[in-house]
Amino acid sequence: MRLLPFAAAGIAALCLAAPASAEDTKPCGPGLICASNPQTVMAAMEKAEYKPKLSKDGEGDPLIESDESAYHFDVYFYGCKANKNCDSLRFEALFEKAPENTPEFVNKWNSKKRFLQAYVREDGQLGVAYDVATIGGLNAANFTDVLDWWNSQLNELASFFKEELNLPDEKPVEKPAT
């Protein structure tokens, strides 16, 4: 029974320890997509017929913007050291402020979804995000799957909005007479 206090102290020490740095310092291998090499992410998105634009976020880390999905979205690079050697990506879409953007509304989505998580910002905007670690790199099939999940979740989100907010069906766009 004397081991119990020592075991508890050991577990507490592990829980309080700082997380290990996951900085991706190894070069991105041939044919792999890595947050540590933003050009590989750009090339993979272009190959998937997106039109990504590379820029920098407010902290100087890489940022990719794209409008090729159902919505405008950004791909943020996380875990960066001095704006490089990033270890993960965050796909994120933001929506306009609306009275419906409440914690209860997003929790209804989050309680049934695993990959795409919704949140409400302090300014009332609703956001959704999908995080992907890339340490060691993703092969082309893995990254294509990431993009497929992102798009399928955005499509499910559109259905969720329609059902929960009782939005009308979209009218088909009529082609002009020629």
Side-chain angles (χ1 to χ4, degrees):
M1 292 307 246
R2 293 187 139 230
L3 292 178
L4 187 58
F6 294 113
I11 291 170
L14 286 174
C15 291
L16 295 174
S21 174
E23 178 183 3
D24 198 358
T25 57
K26 293 183 181 179
C28 188
L32 296 177
I33 294 95
C34 308
S36 62
N37 184 346
Q39 290 303 326
T40 63
V41 178
M42 289 285 295
M45 289 179 73
E46 287 169 350
K47 186 174 181 182
E49 299 184 5
Y50 288 79
K51 293 179 183 162
K53 294 177 229 159
L54 183 62
S55 62
K56 295 190 182 289
D57 68 13
E59 297 178 14
D61 292 333
L63 168 69
I64 294 175
E65 296 180 56
S66 182
D67 288 315
E68 296 306 305
S69 178
Y71 305 104
H72 170 85
F73 68 93
D74 297 319
V75 181
Y76 291 91
F77 288 69
Y78 277 84
C80 307
K81 302 293 184 210
N83 309 115
K84 57 185 179 180
N85 296 331
C86 309
D87 63 19
S88 57
L89 303 170
R90 179 179 182 96
F91 291 75
E92 186 173 72
L94 290 173
F95 301 90
E96 293 181 13
K97 292 189 260 186
E100 298 85 8
N101 297 348
T102 66
E104 294 78 20
F105 183 69
V106 297
N107 285 342
K108 193 167 189 177
W109 168 267
N110 289 338
S111 69
K112 296 178 183 163
K113 299 300 173 186
R114 177 178 167 200
F115 293 103
L116 188 71
Q117 292 297 295
Y119 59 92
V120 178
R121 293 173 24 156
E122 285 184 25
D123 68 0
Q125 280 189 293
L126 186 144
V128 292
Y130 176 40
D131 292 293
V132 179
T134 67
I135 294 174
L138 301 176
N139 65 36
N142 293 137
F143 193 76
T144 297
D145 190 52
V146 165
L147 292 175
D148 287 346
W149 270 106
W150 172 245
N151 280 310
S152 71
Q153 290 297 289
L154 287 177
N155 288 330
E156 286 186 34
L157 182 67
S159 295
F160 175 79
F161 287 159
K162 182 179 176 196
E163 291 168 15
E164 293 298 318
L165 302 175
N166 297 315
L167 299 176
D169 289 332
E170 289 186 37
K171 295 180 182 176
V173 177
E174 293 183 28
K175 294 183 182 180
T178 55

